[in-house]
């Protein structure tokens, strides 16, 4: 019997034939880096064709499987804005918590909010995926950009590429540094499970292929490290326990931009989900043509949360829809009705009641103005007639 060394441990041996039997037959070596406990760098391999199972590839990767188990061991049930992360060693404390809803993306610099940055957070991912990205330049390690997005469809893939481009743009004006791997990027991905329709696996495959293409295209100026990968089978209860139903283990991700700390959990405390949480959920009911892109709610240039105007209107039989029992409502409104959170139906009814009772003109005005929420220290009334301004 022939053995090879497992890259995660110099003392652990793996049978070569067993490894060959479990991995996909056609693999593509990417420029995405995965580090082991000794910070030794390994290139991630993913299936070359869609017919191969990305989930089998990830679950049979000893390094990714070990890393996922360690991340899950530190998970918690709830995320609270206080007490989740250790205080910054700089002594300035933490910045605000910025919640990212489904089909949204946010960017934050560590130079914002009095040089404290912010904590980006999202939850409620079943078949959805949450991606956190943090980057710095070798020319200026103290200048950091962080992003978080919540995807629910492979149609949102273009927005992942734009998120990577945003980071390269943020770091490109740093002067003389033109050497290889100028930008160092850390990627964290959670979400999905082994759902019957394989929606999660399709999304995982799509995201990793987009990241692999970006890492290859930009390899002369970018080093991309996959720091957290708890997706699909690596995030399914049935992977780690016998005689349990398929369901996601964790559904939320929080990323502290300044420190780089990551926290995995299931549910965000309701106080962290604003501002305008119901309005932002209503956007999921907007016409499809204007809803495939991710809404950028926060940028690294301004300390504000912005909701761009969108159209919505009551759909036929909305009254009947609101009266459906929970089990029927779940079947009509969820891609994973068997494992939604207990408050899913309550939130769905609140959202649809908003759609039914509040006309779009009452929210965005007849001229469809955007809504901006400033941090509380900001003075309102900027003089811009194209927006509504509120305290955040």
């Amino acid at each position: 019997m022939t053995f090879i060394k497992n890259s995660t441990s110099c003392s652990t041996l793996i049978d070569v034939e067993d490894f060959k039997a479990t991995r996909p037959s056609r693999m593509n070596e990417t420029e995405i880096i995965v580090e082991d406990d000794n910070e030794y760098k390994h290139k991630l391999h993913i299936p070359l064709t869609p017919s191969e199972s990305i989930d089998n590839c990830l679950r049979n990767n000893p390094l990714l499987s070990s890393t996922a188990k360690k991340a899950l061991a530190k998970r918690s049930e709830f995320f609270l804005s206080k007490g989740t992360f250790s205080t910054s060693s700089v002594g300035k404390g933490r910045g605000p918590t910025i919640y990212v809803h489904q089909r949204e993306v946010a960017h934050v610099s560590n130079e914002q909010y009095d040089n404290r940055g912010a904590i980006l957070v999202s939850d409620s991912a079943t078949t959805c995926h949450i991606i956190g990205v943090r980057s710095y330049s070798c020319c200026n390690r103290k200048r950091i950009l962080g992003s978080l997005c919540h995807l629910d469809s492979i149609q949102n893939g273009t927005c992942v590429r734009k998120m990577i481009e945003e980071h390269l743009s943020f770091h490109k004006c740093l002067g003389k540094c033109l050497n290889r791997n100028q930008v160092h990027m850390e990627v964290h991905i959670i979400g999905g499970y082994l759902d019957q329709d394989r929606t999660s696996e399709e999304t995982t495959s799509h995201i990793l292929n987009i990241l692999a293409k970006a890492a290859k295209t930009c390899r002369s100026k970018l080093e991309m490290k996959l720091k957290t990968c708890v997706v699909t089978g690596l995030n399914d209860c049935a992977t780690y326990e016998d005689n349990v139903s398929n369901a996601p283990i964790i559904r939320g991700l929080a990323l502290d931009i300044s420190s780089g700390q990551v926290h995995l959990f299931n549910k965000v405390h309701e106080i962290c989900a604003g501002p305008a949480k119901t309005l932002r959920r209503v956007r999921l009911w907007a016409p499809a043509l204007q809803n495939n892109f991710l809404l950028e709610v926060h940028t690294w240039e301004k300390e504000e949360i912005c909701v761009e105007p969108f159209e919505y209107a009551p759909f036929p039989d909305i009254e009947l829809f609101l009266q459906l029992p929970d089990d029927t409502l779940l079947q009509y409104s969820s891609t994973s009705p068997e494992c939604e959170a207990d408050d899913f139906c309550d939130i769905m009814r609140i959202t649809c009641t908003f759609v039914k009772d509040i006309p779009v003109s009452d929210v965005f005005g007849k001229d469809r103005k955007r809504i901006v929420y400033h941090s509380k220290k900001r003075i309102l009334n900027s003089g811009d007639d194209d927006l509504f301004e509120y305290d955040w």
Side-chain angles (χ1 to χ4, degrees):
M1 183 177 294
T2 305
F3 290 97
I4 59 173
K5 287 185 178 180
N6 179 352
S7 60
T8 62
S9 171
C10 60
S11 62
T12 303
L13 299 178
I14 301 175
D15 178 33
V16 172
E17 297 307 316
D18 286 347
F19 180 72
K20 288 181 178 179
T22 56
R23 71 173 181 175
S25 57
R26 300 185 65 196
M27 301 289 285
N28 176 37
E29 182 180 89
T30 72
E31 296 298 321
I32 301 174
I33 301 298
V34 183
E35 286 186 336
D36 60 25
D37 292 339
N38 298 316
E39 298 185 355
Y40 186 82
K41 297 178 181 179
H42 308 262
K43 289 187 176 181
L44 177 68
H45 290 72
I46 59 176
L48 193 61
T49 61
S51 60
E52 301 279 11
S53 170
I54 185 70
D55 182 63
N56 286 341
C57 171
L58 299 181
R59 282 198 285 169
N60 290 314
N61 182 311
L63 182 53
L64 286 181
S65 179
S66 173
T67 303
K69 288 179 182 178
K70 290 176 183 177
L72 289 170
K74 299 177 182 179
R75 72 186 186 274
S76 65
E77 185 63 25
F78 292 98
F79 172 85
L80 300 173
S81 58
K82 295 181 180 180
T84 302
F85 292 104
S86 60
T87 304
S88 171
S89 59
V90 180
K92 296 179 180 178
R94 295 180 300 272
T97 297
I98 298 175
Y99 185 87
V100 179
H101 283 267
Q102 192 172 332
R103 294 185 198 167
E104 290 185 349
V105 61
H107 309 284
V108 176
S109 163
N110 68 320
E111 297 174 337
Q112 292 178 292
Y113 301 104
D114 298 324
N115 293 314
R116 295 176 299 151
I119 297 171
L120 295 175
V121 60
S122 188
D123 70 344
S124 301
T126 51
T127 56
C128 294
H129 286 49
I130 300 169
I131 307 173
V133 177
R134 181 178 181 268
S135 68
Y136 61 88
S137 168
C138 62
C139 298
N140 188 351
R141 291 175 177 265
K142 294 182 179 181
R143 189 169 185 261
I144 301 166
L145 180 65
S147 305
L148 193 82
C149 71
H150 186 136
L151 307 178
D152 63 1
S153 168
I154 61 173
Q155 295 178 345
N156 304 146
T158 302
C159 302
V160 178
R161 287 188 285 270
K162 288 183 178 179
M163 187 165 63
I164 303 300
E165 292 168 2
E166 186 75 17
H167 282 251
L168 295 176
S169 176
F170 178 82
H171 296 292
K172 73 177 182 180
C173 300
L174 297 177
K176 300 179 181 179
C177 186
L178 298 175
N179 60 305
R180 183 176 175 83
N181 299 140
Q182 174 184 352
V183 177
H184 296 261
M185 182 175 292
E186 302 165 354
V187 179
H188 308 270
I189 314 173
I190 70 101
Y193 69 108
L194 296 175
D195 62 285
Q196 189 172 7
D197 296 331
R198 301 184 69 176
T199 301
S200 301
E201 185 171 1
E202 183 181 25
T203 304
T204 295
S205 178
H206 191 65
I207 290 172
L208 287 177
N209 275 285
I210 289 174
L211 293 175
K213 289 178 182 178
K216 181 178 181 179
T217 302
C218 305
R219 60 186 171 185
S220 63
K221 52 189 173 183
L222 170 68
E223 180 183 67
M224 183 184 294
K225 292 182 182 179
L226 184 59
K227 302 281 285 186
T228 305
C229 185
V230 185
V231 293
T232 310
L234 292 175
N235 188 39
D236 195 294
C237 295
T239 299
Y240 306 98
E241 298 180 55
D242 295 330
N243 302 317
V244 296
S245 300
N246 294 114
I249 301 173
I250 52 105
R251 305 167 188 237
L253 172 70
L255 173 62
D256 187 327
I257 302 308
S258 294
S259 69
Q261 292 182 78
V262 168
H263 185 65
L264 307 184
F265 58 92
N266 265 324
K267 188 70 176 172
V268 168
H269 193 281
E270 194 66 9
I271 197 172
C272 301
K277 56 189 176 184
T278 300
L279 174 62
R280 290 158 69 184
R281 288 166 178 154
V282 165
R283 182 172 173 266
L284 299 178
W285 297 87
L289 288 178
Q290 68 176 32
N291 204 20
N292 286 333
F293 66 93
L294 300 183
L295 177 66
E296 187 179 67
V297 294
H298 193 285
T299 72
W300 55 268
E301 297 171 305
K302 295 182 179 181
E303 297 179 0
E304 60 187 32
I305 289 179
C306 180
V307 181
E308 294 290 343
F310 59 87
E311 299 296 325
Y312 67 87
F315 52 86
D317 299 319
I318 190 170
E319 292 277 9
L320 177 61
F321 182 80
L322 287 167
Q323 296 172 18
L324 293 174
D326 286 359
D327 56 346
T328 307
L329 184 66
L330 280 166
Q331 296 297 325
Y332 277 104
S333 57
S334 173
T335 58
S336 49
E338 71 280 2
C339 57
E340 289 291 359
D342 293 340
D343 62 354
F344 179 88
C345 289
D346 291 338
I347 291 175
M348 181 61 63
R349 290 190 179 93
I350 291 171
T351 303
C352 290
T353 299
F354 187 107
V355 171
K356 177 177 71 75
D357 294 342
I358 303 179
V360 65
S361 58
D362 285 1
V363 178
F364 297 110
K366 294 181 179 180
D367 298 329
R368 301 301 190 262
K369 299 178 181 181
R370 69 187 188 278
I371 301 174
V372 173
Y373 297 87
H374 296 291
S375 56
K376 292 181 180 179
K377 67 177 184 178
R378 279 285 297 273
I379 299 175
L380 302 185
N381 300 321
S382 63
D384 191 340
D385 292 332
D386 294 328
L387 56 83
F388 295 118
E389 297 181 282
Y390 303 94
D391 267 341
W392 164 30

